[in-house]
Amino acid sequence: MFYDLHMHSCLSPCAEDEMTPTNIVNMALIKELDLIALTDHNSTKNLPGIAKAAERAGLRMLYGAELESSEEVHVLALYDDLEQALSLQPWLDEHLPFIPNDEHFFGKEEIRNENDELIGTENKLLIISLDQDLEECIEAIHATGGKAILAHVLDRKNSITNQLGFIPEGLPYDGLEVKSELQRQQVLKSHPWIKEEETFWLIDSDAHQLIDISERVNSLPSAELRAMWRKLP
């Protein structure tokens, strides 16, 4: 399956307004992807709209969010069940500090349905840290039936290697996201305790605009994906 499991909709203030449910699904179809996931910052509120748009188009989806821990580390929460993904929202609401969003400075935070109709807005600024540390974020993801993927682990900003300096041995994550095969080899070289064949790897776009959604390049065997869901946290 050709995939892109890290992208942001118009709910994330740093994403372009054009990143609506229907536009994302249509671009994924144009790029001939088989599987996508929506991972907005600290929110699952645009998942129902894109889930319906994807179902209508016959596109397979996972459901998620990108959490920012108190250490400012980004971690993807991925689910194969929409209701489980939505069950994370009360925890996010509880642990995201209330800072009003200034859409003129940070960008709009729009909730849209499967027809791209505006059905609400988020008042809290989403691109800030939760009041929970990385292990607490991972625990919340596991408690709601999701898998925790450390996001863009070698990026300069909000990656675990930038914020903590390394990927701790024994941290109970379920997978690692990199931007390229070269980055995967860099991670393995600098972290000898990480075993390539025992690790679930993703190469994603982290798309904030339609053009950045992955081309039909990165593939994932269905059996490997099923095995990841069967694996206990």
Side-chain angles (χ1 to χ4, degrees):
M1 296 182 297
F2 291 93
Y3 70 88
D4 188 350
L5 301 183
H6 186 173
M7 59 184 73
H8 296 270
S9 77
C10 52
L11 177 56
S12 294
C14 47
E16 297 294 323
D17 293 347
E18 66 185 8
M19 293 291 280
T20 61
T22 298
N23 282 347
I24 291 171
V25 167
N26 286 341
M27 182 59 75
L29 292 175
I30 289 171
K31 296 195 173 188
E32 299 184 314
L33 296 178
D34 303 306
L35 176 69
I36 65 170
L38 181 65
T39 53
D40 279 313
H41 289 289
N42 292 324
S43 182
T44 65
K45 293 182 180 179
N46 255 353
L47 291 180
I50 195 169
K52 291 179 181 177
E55 182 180 15
R56 182 172 61 197
L59 179 64
R60 186 176 177 185
M61 272 203 72
L62 297 180
Y63 315 96
E66 184 174 25
L67 280 56
E68 182 174 319
S69 73
S70 59
E71 304 96 337
E72 299 185 7
V73 173
H74 284 182
V75 55
L76 299 180
L78 291 180
Y79 300 80
D80 63 354
D81 180 84
L82 176 59
E83 293 306 314
Q84 284 185 326
L86 295 177
S87 74
L88 181 65
Q89 189 61 49
W91 183 88
L92 292 169
D93 290 336
E94 179 182 355
H95 294 292
L96 182 68
F98 184 78
I99 298 176
N101 179 43
D102 180 353
E103 67 176 40
H104 300 293
F105 185 82
F106 295 106
K108 299 176 182 178
E109 296 182 337
E110 297 182 333
I111 303 168
R112 293 184 176 270
N113 66 15
E114 68 274 19
N115 299 315
D116 290 351
E117 297 165 329
L118 182 67
I119 59 173
T121 57
E122 176 58 69
N123 295 322
K124 297 170 72 172
L125 180 62
L126 294 174
I127 50 172
I128 60 173
S129 295
L130 298 160
D131 65 10
Q132 300 284 282
D133 65 26
L134 181 56
E135 291 202 30
E136 289 171 319
C137 288
I138 292 173
E139 181 181 354
I141 294 167
H142 288 162
T144 48
K147 298 297 181 180
I149 311 296
L150 299 181
H152 43 69
V153 296
L154 291 186
D155 276 9
R156 290 189 307 160
K157 186 177 182 181
N158 298 120
S159 71
I160 190 167
T161 56
N162 185 63
Q163 299 304 111
L164 302 186
F166 66 104
I167 302 170
E169 188 172 6
L171 187 69
Y173 59 82
D174 300 293
L176 300 175
E177 180 192 62
V178 292
K179 293 295 186 68
S180 66
E181 179 59 35
L182 176 60
Q183 283 196 355
R184 181 186 347 220
Q185 297 308 315
Q186 290 173 332
V187 170
L188 292 169
K189 183 177 180 180
S190 58
H191 298 79
W193 54 89
I194 295 176
K195 306 303 180 185
E196 182 172 17
E197 66 280 0
E198 298 174 2
T199 303
F200 181 74
W201 299 90
L202 291 176
I203 300 176
D204 292 315
S205 69
D206 191 8
H208 287 68
Q209 53 185 345
L210 291 171
I211 195 172
D212 290 337
I213 294 174
S214 292
E215 302 291 337
R216 189 178 171 88
V217 174
N218 303 308
S219 62
L220 184 66
S222 296
E224 185 176 343
L225 186 62
R226 289 195 298 270
M228 197 268 285
W229 292 116
R230 288 196 301 269
K231 190 181 299 182
L232 293 174

